Amino acid sequence: MMGNEMMAGRKDDGGAVPALEVFGSVGRTRGVPAGEGIAPHGSGLPSDSGACGLFDPSLAARPVVLFDFDGTLANTQPAIMRVVSEVLARRDISLTEAQVLPLIGPPLEDGIRLVANVSEDEALRIAAEYRDLFARTVTAADIPLFPGTAALLDALAAAGKRIAVATSRLEASTAELVRDLGVTHFEAVCGRVPGVRQTKAESIAAALAALDVRPEDAVMVGDRMYDVLGAAELDIPCIGIYSGAAAPGEHEEAGAAAVCSDMFDVARVLGV
């Protein structure tokens, strides 16, 4: 999700990790038994059978699943709120949580301009302070995976799906954070690279290139309209998940192929 770059105690210069870094497609999450919480082929999922509404069953047949990071895989919202509020407070800018929420989703600088109504140059300065404070004060323990995420990734890997991350966050910090969280399922982690890759669609295209697959092979999973619209630029359907940042109806209006309330619902749509 967000274009908000967060790394526990590491410098994020956007260039520390090769754009097509490969982690290995069959992975495990530390401390999580395989398949925990998710039964094969959708049976026994702890969610309402109608929670996702109507969706195209062919989504489950696509062999590649691309995930957004913030607000999709990991619950970064509390840490984002704390850090951005502290940085804005230094400038006597006081915003409610509801006012800050739209910052989550687009690239960090764009999000800051959106919620704080500052100039481009000031947004760049605020973003730099934000990244520094996040690096010094936030650890992986502050940014947990959402319930059901580890089990979903295990189930997708067991089903032979290829999995990657496509995010609007800086690529280098995202890759390190994925490693810190102990997730080893992803063949690639692709995000923004200054001067090389800026948009959500470009991150998605980079993930496809890293896996050497076609758009028609893939489905995207994300928590904001930016995920849905970015995937649509490449004719890729997107499963929208309401995890807290998206406004009611946002995914439907953007044209999501399915709308879910949690990762258990996503598992049902993906047929695992």
Side-chain angles (χ1 to χ4, degrees):
M1 162 178 113
M2 99 178 173
N4 306 348
E5 290 70 69
M6 52 204 75
M7 189 51 244
R10 289 181 173 79
K11 181 176 182 293
D12 185 345
D13 58 9
V17 178
L20 303 183
E21 179 166 358
V22 173
F23 292 94
S25 59
V26 179
R28 302 270 311 133
T29 300
R30 285 198 298 263
V32 180
E36 178 179 306
I38 296 180
H41 309 300
S43 62
L45 286 177
S47 60
D48 181 352
S49 62
C52 298
L54 297 175
F55 57 87
D56 186 346
S58 70
L59 294 175
R62 294 192 173 222
V64 176
V65 184
L66 307 178
F67 288 92
D68 176 48
F69 185 78
D70 297 276
T72 300
L73 294 170
N75 183 10
T76 55
Q77 184 172 316
I80 293 168
M81 291 294 186
R82 175 178 61 79
V83 175
V84 76
S85 294
E86 182 172 336
V87 172
L88 292 178
R90 297 172 182 173
R91 291 166 169 78
D92 294 323
I93 300 174
S94 179
L95 301 175
T96 66
E97 182 171 320
Q99 289 173 318
V100 173
L101 209 53
L103 177 145
I104 303 175
L108 177 58
E109 296 83 357
D110 295 344
I112 290 171
R113 291 181 66 189
L114 179 66
V115 303
N117 192 28
V118 295
S119 69
E120 182 175 353
D121 287 344
E122 183 66 1
L124 290 172
R125 287 190 286 270
I126 293 173
E129 290 183 26
Y130 171 96
R131 293 186 182 111
D132 175 69
L133 182 60
F134 215 113
R136 290 188 290 104
T137 64
V138 177
T139 70
D142 300 314
I143 311 172
L145 296 175
F146 280 105
T149 297
L152 171 59
L153 297 176
D154 286 342
L156 290 172
K161 303 287 187 178
R162 303 184 67 189
I163 316 169
V165 173
T167 177
S168 292
R169 295 177 70 251
L170 290 183
E171 182 173 286
S173 65
T174 307
E176 292 197 38
L177 186 54
V178 166
R179 285 195 291 265
D180 279 359
L181 288 170
V183 184
T184 59
H185 305 75
F186 301 115
E187 288 189 53
V189 174
C190 297
R192 288 196 301 132
V193 177
V196 176
R197 189 184 310 133
Q198 294 295 329
T199 69
K200 185 72 183 195
E202 289 172 338
S203 292
I204 295 171
L208 296 178
L211 273 59
D212 192 21
V213 296
R214 305 165 300 173
E216 54 264 38
D217 295 325
V219 59
M220 180 77 196
V221 181
D223 72 306
R224 291 299 313 276
M225 62 182 176
Y226 307 101
D227 303 303
V228 180
L229 297 175
E233 289 187 40
L234 300 170
D235 293 323
I236 296 173
C238 182
I239 299 169
I241 182 169
Y242 281 108
S243 62
E250 179 176 312
H251 293 308
E252 292 87 342
E253 184 176 347
V259 177
C260 299
S261 61
D262 54 33
M263 280 300 194
F264 301 107
D265 288 341
V266 172
R268 177 172 170 259
V269 174
L270 294 176
V272 295

